[in-house]
Amino acid sequence: MDTTATIIFIVAAFSLGILIIMQRNNIPASLRRGLAIAAIVFIAFAFFLIVYSLTTMGS
């Protein structure tokens, strides 16, 4: 498993979530729901990657 790509994805997913939270008033209403759902999916997958990497760390 490529750890560099995984770390970059995790940082990008959390950055997207933070960006959406900080700029929620400037995002048009038509895009707000779609961006929020995409951010939730990316952050959930990032958490999965973190847990997966922790469980396979010893092997």
Side-chain angles (χ1 to χ4, degrees):
M1 187 160 96
D2 187 15
T3 57
T4 305
T6 304
I7 291 171
I8 290 172
F9 176 77
I10 291 169
V11 169
F14 283 107
S15 298
L16 176 66
I18 291 170
L19 186 74
I20 289 175
I21 289 171
M22 290 175 60
Q23 298 294 324
R24 66 180 172 263
N25 294 331
N26 297 333
I27 300 173
S30 59
L31 292 176
R32 199 174 299 156
R33 182 180 298 248
L35 283 175
I37 291 172
I40 289 171
V41 170
F42 290 154
I43 292 171
F45 189 63
F47 272 121
F48 168 75
L49 288 176
I50 292 169
V51 170
Y52 179 75
S53 67
L54 288 176
T55 56
T56 60
M57 191 182 309
S59 57

Short mmCIF file of all heavy atoms in Angstrom, two decimals:
data_model
loop_
_atom_site.label_atom_id
_atom_site.label_comp_id
_atom_site.label_asym_id
_atom_site.label_seq_id
_atom_site.Cartn_x
_atom_site.Cartn_y
_atom_site.Cartn_z
N MET A 1 0.85 -1.18 0.00
CA MET A 1 0.00 0.00 0.00
C MET A 1 0.89 1.24 0.00
O MET A 1 1.85 1.33 0.76
CB MET A 1 -0.90 -0.02 1.24
CG MET A 1 -1.92 1.08 1.23
SD MET A 1 -3.29 0.76 2.33
CE MET A 1 -2.78 1.65 3.76
N ASP A 2 0.56 2.19 -0.83
CA ASP A 2 1.35 3.41 -0.95
C ASP A 2 0.94 4.38 0.16
O ASP A 2 -0.14 4.96 0.12
CB ASP A 2 1.13 4.03 -2.33
CG ASP A 2 2.05 5.19 -2.59
OD1 ASP A 2 3.03 5.34 -1.85
OD2 ASP A 2 1.77 5.95 -3.52
N THR A 3 1.81 4.56 1.15
CA THR A 3 1.45 5.39 2.30
C THR A 3 1.43 6.87 1.97
O THR A 3 0.67 7.62 2.57
CB THR A 3 2.42 5.14 3.46
OG1 THR A 3 3.75 5.39 3.02
CG2 THR A 3 2.31 3.71 3.95
N THR A 4 2.25 7.29 1.01
CA THR A 4 2.28 8.70 0.65
C THR A 4 0.94 9.13 0.06
O THR A 4 0.40 10.18 0.43
CB THR A 4 3.42 8.98 -0.35
OG1 THR A 4 4.64 8.52 0.21
CG2 THR A 4 3.52 10.45 -0.66
N ALA A 5 0.41 8.34 -0.84
CA ALA A 5 -0.89 8.66 -1.45
C ALA A 5 -1.99 8.63 -0.40
O ALA A 5 -2.91 9.46 -0.44
CB ALA A 5 -1.20 7.69 -2.58
N THR A 6 -1.92 7.70 0.53
CA THR A 6 -2.92 7.61 1.58
C THR A 6 -2.89 8.84 2.48
O THR A 6 -3.94 9.41 2.80
CB THR A 6 -2.68 6.34 2.43
OG1 THR A 6 -2.68 5.21 1.58
CG2 THR A 6 -3.75 6.18 3.48
N ILE A 7 -1.72 9.27 2.87
CA ILE A 7 -1.59 10.45 3.73
C ILE A 7 -2.07 11.70 3.01
O ILE A 7 -2.77 12.54 3.59
CB ILE A 7 -0.13 10.60 4.22
CG1 ILE A 7 0.19 9.46 5.20
CG2 ILE A 7 0.09 11.95 4.88
CD1 ILE A 7 1.63 9.38 5.59
N ILE A 8 -1.74 11.82 1.73
CA ILE A 8 -2.19 12.98 0.95
C ILE A 8 -3.71 12.98 0.86
O ILE A 8 -4.35 14.04 1.00
CB ILE A 8 -1.54 12.98 -0.44
CG1 ILE A 8 -0.06 13.29 -0.32
CG2 ILE A 8 -2.23 13.98 -1.37
CD1 ILE A 8 0.71 13.14 -1.60
N PHE A 9 -4.34 11.82 0.63
CA PHE A 9 -5.79 11.76 0.57
C PHE A 9 -6.42 12.13 1.90
O PHE A 9 -7.42 12.86 1.94
CB PHE A 9 -6.26 10.36 0.15
CG PHE A 9 -7.74 10.22 0.17
CD1 PHE A 9 -8.50 10.75 -0.86
CD2 PHE A 9 -8.40 9.60 1.22
CE1 PHE A 9 -9.89 10.65 -0.85
CE2 PHE A 9 -9.77 9.49 1.24
CZ PHE A 9 -10.52 10.02 0.21
N ILE A 10 -5.87 11.64 3.01
CA ILE A 10 -6.42 11.94 4.33
C ILE A 10 -6.35 13.44 4.62
O ILE A 10 -7.33 14.04 5.06
CB ILE A 10 -5.69 11.12 5.41
CG1 ILE A 10 -6.04 9.64 5.26
CG2 ILE A 10 -6.03 11.61 6.81
CD1 ILE A 10 -5.19 8.71 6.08
N VAL A 11 -5.21 14.05 4.33
CA VAL A 11 -5.07 15.49 4.55
C VAL A 11 -6.02 16.27 3.65
O VAL A 11 -6.67 17.23 4.10
CB VAL A 11 -3.60 15.92 4.32
CG1 VAL A 11 -3.47 17.42 4.29
CG2 VAL A 11 -2.71 15.33 5.40
N ALA A 12 -6.15 15.86 2.40
CA ALA A 12 -7.05 16.56 1.47
C ALA A 12 -8.51 16.42 1.88
O ALA A 12 -9.28 17.38 1.78
CB ALA A 12 -6.85 16.03 0.06
N ALA A 13 -8.91 15.24 2.36
CA ALA A 13 -10.29 15.04 2.77
C ALA A 13 -10.64 15.91 3.97
O ALA A 13 -11.70 16.56 3.99
CB ALA A 13 -10.53 13.57 3.10
N PHE A 14 -9.77 15.94 4.97
CA PHE A 14 -10.04 16.77 6.13
C PHE A 14 -9.96 18.26 5.80
O PHE A 14 -10.71 19.06 6.35
CB PHE A 14 -9.10 16.41 7.28
CG PHE A 14 -9.49 15.14 7.98
CD1 PHE A 14 -8.75 13.98 7.81
CD2 PHE A 14 -10.60 15.10 8.80
CE1 PHE A 14 -9.11 12.81 8.44
CE2 PHE A 14 -10.96 13.93 9.45
CZ PHE A 14 -10.22 12.78 9.26
N SER A 15 -9.07 18.61 4.89
CA SER A 15 -8.99 20.01 4.47
C SER A 15 -10.26 20.45 3.75
O SER A 15 -10.74 21.57 3.94
CB SER A 15 -7.79 20.22 3.55
OG SER A 15 -6.61 19.94 4.24
N LEU A 16 -10.80 19.58 2.91
CA LEU A 16 -12.07 19.89 2.23
C LEU A 16 -13.19 20.08 3.25
O LEU A 16 -13.99 21.02 3.13
CB LEU A 16 -12.44 18.78 1.25
CG LEU A 16 -13.78 18.92 0.55
CD1 LEU A 16 -13.78 20.14 -0.37
CD2 LEU A 16 -14.12 17.66 -0.21
N GLY A 17 -13.26 19.22 4.25
CA GLY A 17 -14.27 19.37 5.28
C GLY A 17 -14.15 20.68 6.04
O GLY A 17 -15.14 21.37 6.28
N ILE A 18 -12.93 21.03 6.41
CA ILE A 18 -12.70 22.29 7.13
C ILE A 18 -13.04 23.48 6.25
O ILE A 18 -13.66 24.45 6.70
CB ILE A 18 -11.24 22.35 7.62
CG1 ILE A 18 -11.02 21.33 8.73
CG2 ILE A 18 -10.89 23.75 8.10
CD1 ILE A 18 -9.58 21.14 9.12
N LEU A 19 -12.65 23.41 4.98
CA LEU A 19 -12.94 24.49 4.05
C LEU A 19 -14.44 24.70 3.86
O LEU A 19 -14.92 25.84 3.84
CB LEU A 19 -12.28 24.22 2.70
CG LEU A 19 -12.36 25.31 1.67
CD1 LEU A 19 -11.41 26.43 2.06
CD2 LEU A 19 -12.02 24.78 0.31
N ILE A 20 -15.18 23.62 3.76
CA ILE A 20 -16.63 23.73 3.59
C ILE A 20 -17.27 24.32 4.85
O ILE A 20 -18.17 25.14 4.77
CB ILE A 20 -17.24 22.36 3.23
CG1 ILE A 20 -16.83 21.99 1.81
CG2 ILE A 20 -18.75 22.38 3.35
CD1 ILE A 20 -17.25 20.62 1.39
N ILE A 21 -16.80 23.91 6.02
CA ILE A 21 -17.35 24.45 7.26
C ILE A 21 -17.04 25.94 7.39
O ILE A 21 -17.91 26.73 7.77
CB ILE A 21 -16.80 23.66 8.48
CG1 ILE A 21 -17.40 22.27 8.50
CG2 ILE A 21 -17.11 24.39 9.78
CD1 ILE A 21 -16.78 21.34 9.53
N MET A 22 -15.81 26.34 7.06
CA MET A 22 -15.43 27.74 7.22
C MET A 22 -16.10 28.66 6.19
O MET A 22 -16.39 29.81 6.49
CB MET A 22 -13.91 27.87 7.13
CG MET A 22 -13.18 27.28 8.31
SD MET A 22 -11.41 27.30 8.13
CE MET A 22 -11.10 29.04 7.97
N GLN A 23 -16.34 28.16 4.99
CA GLN A 23 -16.88 28.99 3.91
C GLN A 23 -18.32 28.66 3.57
O GLN A 23 -18.77 28.92 2.45
CB GLN A 23 -16.01 28.82 2.65
CG GLN A 23 -14.60 29.25 2.83
CD GLN A 23 -14.47 30.74 3.05
OE1 GLN A 23 -15.21 31.52 2.48
NE2 GLN A 23 -13.54 31.13 3.90
N ARG A 24 -19.08 28.12 4.51
CA ARG A 24 -20.45 27.69 4.20
C ARG A 24 -21.36 28.84 3.82
O ARG A 24 -22.32 28.63 3.08
CB ARG A 24 -21.03 26.89 5.35
CG ARG A 24 -21.25 27.67 6.62
CD ARG A 24 -21.85 26.81 7.71
NE ARG A 24 -21.88 27.50 8.97
CZ ARG A 24 -20.98 27.36 9.92
NH1 ARG A 24 -19.98 26.53 9.74
NH2 ARG A 24 -21.07 28.03 11.04
N ASN A 25 -21.08 30.04 4.26
CA ASN A 25 -21.93 31.18 3.89
C ASN A 25 -21.63 31.68 2.49
O ASN A 25 -22.48 32.34 1.87
CB ASN A 25 -21.74 32.32 4.89
CG ASN A 25 -22.24 31.94 6.26
OD1 ASN A 25 -23.16 31.14 6.40
ND2 ASN A 25 -21.62 32.50 7.29
N ASN A 26 -20.45 31.40 1.96
CA ASN A 26 -20.07 31.88 0.64
C ASN A 26 -20.36 30.87 -0.47
O ASN A 26 -20.21 31.19 -1.64
CB ASN A 26 -18.57 32.23 0.61
CG ASN A 26 -18.26 33.36 1.56
OD1 ASN A 26 -19.09 34.20 1.85
ND2 ASN A 26 -17.04 33.38 2.05
N ILE A 27 -20.72 29.64 -0.11
CA ILE A 27 -21.02 28.61 -1.10
C ILE A 27 -22.47 28.76 -1.53
O ILE A 27 -23.35 28.87 -0.68
CB ILE A 27 -20.77 27.21 -0.51
CG1 ILE A 27 -19.31 27.06 -0.09
CG2 ILE A 27 -21.14 26.12 -1.50
CD1 ILE A 27 -19.01 25.78 0.65
N PRO A 28 -22.75 28.74 -2.84
CA PRO A 28 -24.14 28.84 -3.30
C PRO A 28 -24.99 27.69 -2.77
O PRO A 28 -24.50 26.57 -2.58
CB PRO A 28 -24.02 28.77 -4.82
CG PRO A 28 -22.61 29.08 -5.13
CD PRO A 28 -21.81 28.70 -3.94
N ALA A 29 -26.24 27.97 -2.54
CA ALA A 29 -27.14 26.97 -1.94
C ALA A 29 -27.28 25.72 -2.81
O ALA A 29 -27.45 24.62 -2.30
CB ALA A 29 -28.51 27.59 -1.69
N SER A 30 -27.18 25.88 -4.11
CA SER A 30 -27.33 24.73 -4.99
C SER A 30 -26.15 23.76 -4.89
O SER A 30 -26.30 22.57 -5.15
CB SER A 30 -27.50 25.20 -6.44
OG SER A 30 -26.36 25.95 -6.83
N LEU A 31 -24.98 24.26 -4.50
CA LEU A 31 -23.80 23.40 -4.38
C LEU A 31 -23.56 22.90 -2.95
O LEU A 31 -22.81 21.94 -2.74
CB LEU A 31 -22.55 24.17 -4.82
CG LEU A 31 -22.44 24.52 -6.29
CD1 LEU A 31 -21.20 25.35 -6.52
CD2 LEU A 31 -22.40 23.26 -7.13
N ARG A 32 -24.17 23.54 -1.98
CA ARG A 32 -23.86 23.28 -0.57
C ARG A 32 -24.12 21.83 -0.18
O ARG A 32 -23.28 21.18 0.45
CB ARG A 32 -24.67 24.22 0.30
CG ARG A 32 -24.13 24.38 1.68
CD ARG A 32 -24.87 25.43 2.45
NE ARG A 32 -24.74 26.74 1.79
CZ ARG A 32 -25.60 27.73 1.92
NH1 ARG A 32 -26.64 27.58 2.69
NH2 ARG A 32 -25.40 28.87 1.30
N ARG A 33 -25.28 21.30 -0.55
CA ARG A 33 -25.63 19.94 -0.15
C ARG A 33 -24.72 18.90 -0.81
O ARG A 33 -24.25 17.96 -0.17
CB ARG A 33 -27.09 19.63 -0.48
CG ARG A 33 -27.53 18.24 -0.04
CD ARG A 33 -28.97 18.00 -0.38
NE ARG A 33 -29.83 18.92 0.31
CZ ARG A 33 -30.68 18.56 1.27
NH1 ARG A 33 -30.76 17.30 1.62
NH2 ARG A 33 -31.44 19.45 1.86
N GLY A 34 -24.45 19.07 -2.09
CA GLY A 34 -23.60 18.12 -2.80
C GLY A 34 -22.18 18.12 -2.27
O GLY A 34 -21.57 17.05 -2.11
N LEU A 35 -21.64 19.29 -2.00
CA LEU A 35 -20.29 19.37 -1.44
C LEU A 35 -20.23 18.76 -0.04
O LEU A 35 -19.26 18.11 0.31
CB LEU A 35 -19.82 20.82 -1.40
CG LEU A 35 -19.35 21.43 -2.71
CD1 LEU A 35 -19.05 22.91 -2.53
CD2 LEU A 35 -18.15 20.70 -3.23
N ALA A 36 -21.27 18.99 0.74
CA ALA A 36 -21.30 18.42 2.09
C ALA A 36 -21.34 16.90 2.05
O ALA A 36 -20.63 16.23 2.81
CB ALA A 36 -22.48 18.97 2.87
N ILE A 37 -22.14 16.34 1.17
CA ILE A 37 -22.23 14.89 1.05
C ILE A 37 -20.90 14.31 0.56
O ILE A 37 -20.43 13.30 1.08
CB ILE A 37 -23.40 14.49 0.13
CG1 ILE A 37 -24.73 14.81 0.82
CG2 ILE A 37 -23.34 13.01 -0.24
CD1 ILE A 37 -25.94 14.64 -0.06
N ALA A 38 -20.29 14.97 -0.41
CA ALA A 38 -18.99 14.50 -0.91
C ALA A 38 -17.94 14.56 0.19
O ALA A 38 -17.13 13.63 0.34
CB ALA A 38 -18.56 15.34 -2.10
N ALA A 39 -17.94 15.63 0.98
CA ALA A 39 -16.97 15.75 2.07
C ALA A 39 -17.19 14.67 3.12
O ALA A 39 -16.22 14.11 3.65
CB ALA A 39 -17.06 17.13 2.70
N ILE A 40 -18.43 14.37 3.44
CA ILE A 40 -18.73 13.31 4.42
C ILE A 40 -18.23 11.96 3.92
O ILE A 40 -17.62 11.20 4.68
CB ILE A 40 -20.24 13.27 4.72
CG1 ILE A 40 -20.63 14.49 5.53
CG2 ILE A 40 -20.62 12.00 5.46
CD1 ILE A 40 -22.13 14.66 5.70
N VAL A 41 -18.44 11.68 2.65
CA VAL A 41 -17.97 10.41 2.08
C VAL A 41 -16.45 10.34 2.11
O VAL A 41 -15.87 9.32 2.50
CB VAL A 41 -18.52 10.23 0.65
CG1 VAL A 41 -17.85 9.06 -0.06
CG2 VAL A 41 -20.03 10.05 0.67
N PHE A 42 -15.78 11.42 1.71
CA PHE A 42 -14.32 11.43 1.71
C PHE A 42 -13.75 11.29 3.11
O PHE A 42 -12.79 10.56 3.33
CB PHE A 42 -13.79 12.71 1.07
CG PHE A 42 -14.00 12.79 -0.42
CD1 PHE A 42 -14.08 14.02 -1.04
CD2 PHE A 42 -14.14 11.65 -1.19
CE1 PHE A 42 -14.28 14.11 -2.41
CE2 PHE A 42 -14.35 11.74 -2.56
CZ PHE A 42 -14.40 12.97 -3.17
N ILE A 43 -14.34 11.98 4.08
CA ILE A 43 -13.85 11.90 5.46
C ILE A 43 -14.10 10.52 6.05
O ILE A 43 -13.25 9.98 6.76
CB ILE A 43 -14.48 13.02 6.31
CG1 ILE A 43 -13.94 14.38 5.86
CG2 ILE A 43 -14.21 12.80 7.79
CD1 ILE A 43 -14.64 15.56 6.48
N ALA A 44 -15.24 9.92 5.74
CA ALA A 44 -15.51 8.56 6.22
C ALA A 44 -14.51 7.57 5.64
O ALA A 44 -14.00 6.69 6.34
CB ALA A 44 -16.94 8.15 5.85
N PHE A 45 -14.19 7.72 4.36
CA PHE A 45 -13.19 6.84 3.75
C PHE A 45 -11.81 7.09 4.32
O PHE A 45 -11.01 6.15 4.49
CB PHE A 45 -13.19 7.01 2.23
CG PHE A 45 -12.35 6.00 1.52
CD1 PHE A 45 -12.64 4.65 1.58
CD2 PHE A 45 -11.24 6.40 0.80
CE1 PHE A 45 -11.85 3.71 0.93
CE2 PHE A 45 -10.44 5.48 0.15
CZ PHE A 45 -10.74 4.13 0.22
N ALA A 46 -11.50 8.34 4.66
CA ALA A 46 -10.22 8.66 5.29
C ALA A 46 -10.12 8.00 6.66
O ALA A 46 -9.06 7.46 7.02
CB ALA A 46 -10.05 10.17 5.40
N PHE A 47 -11.20 8.02 7.44
CA PHE A 47 -11.21 7.32 8.72
C PHE A 47 -11.00 5.83 8.52
O PHE A 47 -10.27 5.18 9.28
CB PHE A 47 -12.51 7.57 9.48
CG PHE A 47 -12.48 8.79 10.34
CD1 PHE A 47 -13.41 9.81 10.15
CD2 PHE A 47 -11.56 8.95 11.36
CE1 PHE A 47 -13.40 10.94 10.93
CE2 PHE A 47 -11.54 10.08 12.15
CZ PHE A 47 -12.46 11.08 11.93
N PHE A 48 -11.65 5.26 7.51
CA PHE A 48 -11.45 3.84 7.20
C PHE A 48 -9.99 3.56 6.88
O PHE A 48 -9.43 2.56 7.36
CB PHE A 48 -12.35 3.41 6.04
CG PHE A 48 -12.00 2.06 5.50
CD1 PHE A 48 -12.34 0.92 6.20
CD2 PHE A 48 -11.31 1.93 4.31
CE1 PHE A 48 -12.00 -0.35 5.71
CE2 PHE A 48 -10.96 0.69 3.81
CZ PHE A 48 -11.32 -0.45 4.51
N LEU A 49 -9.36 4.42 6.09
CA LEU A 49 -7.95 4.21 5.75
C LEU A 49 -7.06 4.31 6.98
O LEU A 49 -6.08 3.57 7.11
CB LEU A 49 -7.51 5.22 4.70
CG LEU A 49 -8.04 5.00 3.29
CD1 LEU A 49 -7.60 6.14 2.39
CD2 LEU A 49 -7.58 3.67 2.74
N ILE A 50 -7.39 5.22 7.89
CA ILE A 50 -6.61 5.35 9.13
C ILE A 50 -6.73 4.08 9.96
O ILE A 50 -5.73 3.53 10.43
CB ILE A 50 -7.06 6.58 9.93
CG1 ILE A 50 -6.69 7.87 9.20
CG2 ILE A 50 -6.46 6.57 11.33
CD1 ILE A 50 -7.32 9.12 9.79
N VAL A 51 -7.94 3.59 10.14
CA VAL A 51 -8.15 2.38 10.94
C VAL A 51 -7.50 1.17 10.26
O VAL A 51 -6.85 0.35 10.91
CB VAL A 51 -9.66 2.15 11.17
CG1 VAL A 51 -9.93 0.79 11.78
CG2 VAL A 51 -10.23 3.25 12.04
N TYR A 52 -7.64 1.08 8.95
CA TYR A 52 -7.04 -0.03 8.21
C TYR A 52 -5.52 -0.02 8.34
O TYR A 52 -4.90 -1.06 8.53
CB TYR A 52 -7.46 0.03 6.74
CG TYR A 52 -6.86 -1.08 5.91
CD1 TYR A 52 -7.35 -2.37 6.01
CD2 TYR A 52 -5.80 -0.83 5.03
CE1 TYR A 52 -6.78 -3.40 5.25
CE2 TYR A 52 -5.24 -1.83 4.29
CZ TYR A 52 -5.74 -3.11 4.40
OH TYR A 52 -5.18 -4.13 3.66
N SER A 53 -4.93 1.15 8.21
CA SER A 53 -3.47 1.22 8.32
C SER A 53 -3.00 0.90 9.73
O SER A 53 -1.92 0.32 9.91
CB SER A 53 -2.97 2.59 7.88
OG SER A 53 -3.39 3.58 8.78
N LEU A 54 -3.79 1.27 10.74
CA LEU A 54 -3.42 0.93 12.13
C LEU A 54 -3.53 -0.57 12.39
O LEU A 54 -2.73 -1.14 13.15
CB LEU A 54 -4.28 1.71 13.11
CG LEU A 54 -3.99 3.21 13.21
CD1 LEU A 54 -4.99 3.87 14.14
CD2 LEU A 54 -2.57 3.46 13.69
N THR A 55 -4.53 -1.22 11.79
CA THR A 55 -4.71 -2.67 12.03
C THR A 55 -3.67 -3.48 11.28
O THR A 55 -3.31 -4.58 11.72
CB THR A 55 -6.12 -3.13 11.64
OG1 THR A 55 -6.36 -2.79 10.28
CG2 THR A 55 -7.16 -2.48 12.53
N THR A 56 -3.19 -2.99 10.14
CA THR A 56 -2.21 -3.75 9.38
C THR A 56 -0.77 -3.28 9.62
O THR A 56 0.12 -3.69 8.90
CB THR A 56 -2.51 -3.67 7.86
OG1 THR A 56 -2.47 -2.29 7.47
CG2 THR A 56 -3.87 -4.27 7.56
N MET A 57 -0.58 -2.45 10.60
CA MET A 57 0.74 -1.88 10.86
C MET A 57 1.74 -2.96 11.29
O MET A 57 2.91 -2.93 10.89
CB MET A 57 0.66 -0.80 11.93
CG MET A 57 1.90 0.03 12.08
SD MET A 57 1.79 1.24 13.39
CE MET A 57 0.27 2.07 13.03
N GLY A 58 1.33 -3.89 12.09
CA GLY A 58 2.25 -4.88 12.64
C GLY A 58 2.61 -6.00 11.67
O GLY A 58 3.61 -6.69 11.84
N SER A 59 1.83 -6.18 10.63
CA SER A 59 2.09 -7.31 9.72
C SER A 59 2.84 -6.94 8.48
O SER A 59 3.13 -5.84 8.17
CB SER A 59 0.78 -7.96 9.33
OG SER A 59 -0.09 -7.04 8.73
#
